[in-house]
Amino acid sequence: LDSLEARRHMNSVACSLLGFDEEGNTDTSTIKPLVDGGTEGFKGHARVILPGVTPCFECTLWLFPPQTKFPLCTLAETPRTPAHCIEYAHLIQWSQQRSNEEFDTDNEEHMQWVYSNALARAQQYRIEGVTFQLTQGVVKNIIPAIASTNAIVSAACVLEALKLITMCSTGLNNYMMYAGSQGIYT
């Protein structure tokens, strides 16, 4: 699943299937495991959520990094990076010059407009590096996928699913975090 909203929904479904006995204890026969994994650049995670046994997805939302936001004063007055120029065109210039139109990230003409305006702003402040691809990444909040990170995390998820299905080995003790060159933590 490629969004927090989709993961939250799957978590709620898995938790809603959980049953309890007469004493209020978890009925283990109703536990439907959820194997979750995700990557962001050179970092990734894999985990097994057992509703009623391990922390659920909602209980661990704090593990996800907050989205990057720039102060408007930096964008308007002192841009220092290509991303500042792109966000200025996207957030400030669009509302000033095209206020009657809703911005659509999937509209090619809208993205080209932002790119052109960001490039002009970057040239004005002698900032290099504004590209159409970067413009799409900043506006759509896209973080490039790294194939090796995806392979490591997906392998960990498949291995955990295999352990759950076959009971061939002890499962992951809740969480595995891959941090690129810094290593793996469990």
Side-chain angles (χ1 to χ4, degrees), residues 77-148:
E77 304 297 329
T78 55
R80 295 181 299 279
T81 68
H84 291 161
C85 297
I86 294 165
E87 287 289 44
Y88 178 82
H90 171 224
L91 299 173
I92 297 173
Q93 286 184 312
W94 183 272
S95 62
Q96 289 174 347
Q97 297 176 24
R98 299 179 76 164
S99 59
N100 59 336
E101 286 183 73
E102 187 174 330
F103 184 78
D104 180 2
T105 58
D106 295 322
N107 183 314
E108 180 78 17
E109 188 271 325
H110 289 187
M111 291 301 292
Q112 284 291 346
W113 187 93
V114 169
Y115 166 64
S116 297
N117 282 275
L119 189 58
R121 184 158 178 87
Q123 290 168 347
Q124 178 185 358
Y125 284 90
R126 294 182 175 86
I127 297 171
E128 295 181 5
V130 174
T131 64
F132 184 72
Q133 185 175 6
L134 180 63
T135 301
Q136 288 179 308
V138 170
V139 171
K140 294 182 177 187
N141 198 27
I142 297 170
I143 297 165
I146 308 298
S148 58

Side-chain angles (χ1 to χ4, degrees), residues 37-89:
T39 64
E40 189 170 283
F42 286 102
K43 297 180 181 175
H45 75 273
R47 63 180 165 173
V48 176
I49 297 171
L50 300 170
V53 178
T54 63
C56 74
F57 189 81
E58 287 290 331
C59 296
T60 57
L61 277 175
W62 61 272
L63 292 170
F64 291 92
Q67 299 296 319
T68 302
K69 303 238 187 284
F70 302 107
L72 286 177
C73 59
T74 299
L75 300 179
E77 304 297 329
T78 55
R80 295 181 299 279
T81 68
H84 291 161
C85 297
I86 294 165
E87 287 289 44
Y88 178 82

Side-chain angles (χ1 to χ4, degrees), residues 137-182:
V138 170
V139 171
K140 294 182 177 187
N141 198 27
I142 297 170
I143 297 165
I146 308 298
S148 58
T149 305
N150 291 348
I152 290 166
V153 171
S154 63
C157 289
V158 168
L159 182 60
E160 291 309 311
L162 180 68
K163 289 179 195 177
L164 285 166
I165 293 167
T166 65
M167 304 299 269
C168 66
S169 179
T170 305
L172 181 67
N173 189 12
N174 196 31
Y175 201 85
M176 185 254 344
M177 183 176 76
Y178 173 73
S181 62
Q182 297 171 357

Side-chain angles (χ1 to χ4, degrees), residues 1-17 34 36 49 51 56-58 61:
L1 301 173
D2 201 23
S3 72
L4 291 180
E5 294 79 25
R7 287 184 169 122
R8 291 174 90 173
H9 175 72
M10 288 302 297
N11 178 72
S12 68
V13 169
C15 290
S16 72
L17 299 172
L34 179 61
D36 177 50
I49 297 171
C56 74
F57 189 81
E58 287 290 331
L61 277 175

